[in-house]
Amino acid sequence: MGDAHRIGVVGLGVISRAYLDTLVGHPAVRITAVADLDASRSAAVAAEVPGVKALTVEELLSSPDVDTVLNLTVPAAHAEIALGAIGHGKNVYGEKPLAAAFPDARAVLAAAAKAGVGVGCAPDTVLGTGIQTARAAVGAGSIGRPLFASAVMVTPGHERWHPHPDFYYAAGGGPLLDMGPYYLASLVHLLGPVRAVIGAASRLRAERVIGSGPRAGERIPVEVDSHVSGVLEHVDGTLTTITTSFDGVAATAAPIEVHGDAGTLAVPDPNHFDGEVRLFELGGAQWRPLPPSAGYADGARGVGLLDFIAADGQRAARANGDLALHVLETMSALLRSSAEGRRIELTTSAQPPVPVPLTAAEEWRGAAAGRAA
């Protein structure tokens, strides 16, 4: 355990439990410190996990016992915490999006490059068997030449289940910035980077009602667009139509479909690590499920951080800062296109990370987790 990579966690909200379940006790890492604006949360985690110290945010960022800061704060604080970690010479791996605003995200990567530290960012669901099996099928030519794709995310809104959903409807929130990273990161894995976008958005309700927890029934303001649609022009000429919405009740559309001149691929929900990949070939009679052929089996939140730590000179981290920056610029450009009514060309690009070979859960969760796949 003395050689384990030391992790300090900032932000102990709802998503932190999923990360802790993956990381606590893993042989490649050791949680050494936690911090939250609510000191009682830090104290509770420290009491639960042996060897963990409850610190203030500044104490954690400067702690000599932390190698990488796991940034699980709300989007509006992502850049501030990342820059604070980098300023103390630490790597940072954060929840998506990389920052609430594109210029802030660019500043994070610039600071990291100057300091010589690494930046990683969720989502890591795209490293599971769902998206990776679909990517392997596209790469193997199962649909022929990819021509276009669709991506659809429709939900009534997170206020139904989240006890404190305010940030979903404030700057840095909304369906695109919240859920879009899953879909856009997947699309880069499947079809490559985006060169330009055209977007349209709406905000037809001024308030939302919290549906659960101690604030149930409270009304909160909607300060961002709650429905965003657009067209992505990929570098290779492929087009993707995308819809992300907090305004619908349900949808029958597949989360992602990739259409080629020889077949169509139905891709599972990129918010999950697994799911069935289905192929309909030209001239065929029905959809055919594809067995998992790539990805981290039984993936869980935090596998991207383990992948980030295992990366070395032979392989870059898969959930990396360049991809997160490109995804954020794509989303920001869609919103800007909607506001300005014009096509926006992107200034960033990101190559699809190295594919994940089919990796058993026992391997990435066990003693072999510290080795690059």
Side-chain angles (χ1 to χ4, degrees):
M1 290 295 291
D3 295 327
H5 194 91
R6 299 170 300 177
I7 305 294
V9 184
V10 179
L12 299 171
V14 174
I15 195 63
S16 66
R17 173 47 56 190
Y19 278 89
L20 292 173
D21 287 346
T22 297
L23 300 174
V24 171
H26 193 285
V29 299
R30 181 161 56 95
I31 306 294
T32 56
V34 293
D36 192 278
L37 293 179
D38 183 346
S40 65
R41 289 180 175 178
S42 304
V45 173
E48 175 187 344
V49 184
V52 172
K53 296 179 180 178
L55 304 176
T56 66
V57 172
E58 181 54 39
E59 287 171 343
L60 187 148
L61 296 180
S62 61
S63 172
D65 293 326
V66 172
D67 300 313
T68 293
V69 172
L70 175 56
N71 183 6
L72 303 182
T73 57
V74 297
H78 283 183
E80 178 185 357
I81 297 301
L83 289 170
I86 292 166
H88 287 288
K90 303 186 188 307
N91 305 305
V92 60
Y93 182 97
E95 255 302 318
K96 48 75 191 168
L98 184 56
F102 175 63
D104 293 337
R106 179 162 264 172
V108 167
L109 288 195
K114 184 176 181 179
V117 298
V119 175
C121 187
D124 55 5
T125 52
V126 300
L127 306 181
T129 53
I131 300 303
Q132 292 297 310
T133 294
R135 178 179 177 179
V138 172
S142 297
I143 62 169
R145 178 190 175 193
L147 301 174
F148 68 98
S150 61
V152 179
M153 190 291 300
V154 175
T155 174
H158 297 336
E159 72 276 7
R160 295 172 301 125
W161 58 270
H162 199 292
H164 301 286
D166 310 66
F167 67 94
Y168 289 117
Y169 298 98
L176 183 62
L177 288 178
D178 176 53
M179 298 299 292
Y182 299 105
Y183 292 79
L184 289 164
S186 299
L187 289 164
V188 172
H189 274 265
L190 293 166
L191 300 173
V194 178
R195 68 184 178 200
V197 305
I198 300 172
S202 63
R203 187 188 321 173
L204 300 182
R205 285 182 280 176
E207 293 181 329
R208 296 288 177 124
V209 179
I210 299 177
S212 65
R215 299 169 61 196
E218 180 181 334
R219 295 182 177 273
I220 59 174
V222 176
E223 300 172 356
V224 295
D225 292 323
S226 53
H227 180 101
V228 183
S229 295
V231 177
L232 316 177
E233 301 176 22
H234 294 268
V235 170
D236 67 354
T238 308
L239 298 178
T240 294
T241 58
I242 184 169
T243 295
T244 62
S245 182
F246 282 167
D247 288 335
V249 174
T252 58
I256 298 175
E257 288 185 339
V258 183
H259 302 270
D261 57 12
T264 291
L265 201 65
V267 182
D269 187 345
N271 191 27
H272 302 297
F273 286 88
D274 54 10
E276 186 177 71
V277 179
R278 296 180 298 139
L279 173 66
F280 200 117
E281 296 170 288
L282 184 65
Q286 60 185 2
W287 291 96
R288 176 168 62 89
L290 301 182
S293 61
Y296 291 114
D298 297 325
R301 294 291 201 276
V303 69
L305 175 57
L306 297 173
D307 183 279
F308 172 79
I309 291 168
D312 54 24
Q314 302 301 313
R315 173 183 68 77
R318 293 181 173 100
N320 61 70
D322 288 338
L323 176 58
L325 183 69
H326 183 59
V327 165
L328 180 57
E329 188 187 17
T330 303
M331 297 187 296
S332 301
L334 280 167
L335 295 173
R336 182 181 161 200
S337 173
S338 171
E340 299 179 5
R342 66 184 183 92
R343 175 179 178 271
I344 303 290
E345 293 189 0
L346 273 62
T347 62
T348 65
S349 187
Q351 292 305 308
V354 175
V356 182
L358 187 58
T359 305
E362 294 79 10
E363 182 176 350
W364 70 261
R365 287 183 181 274
R371 299 199 300 267

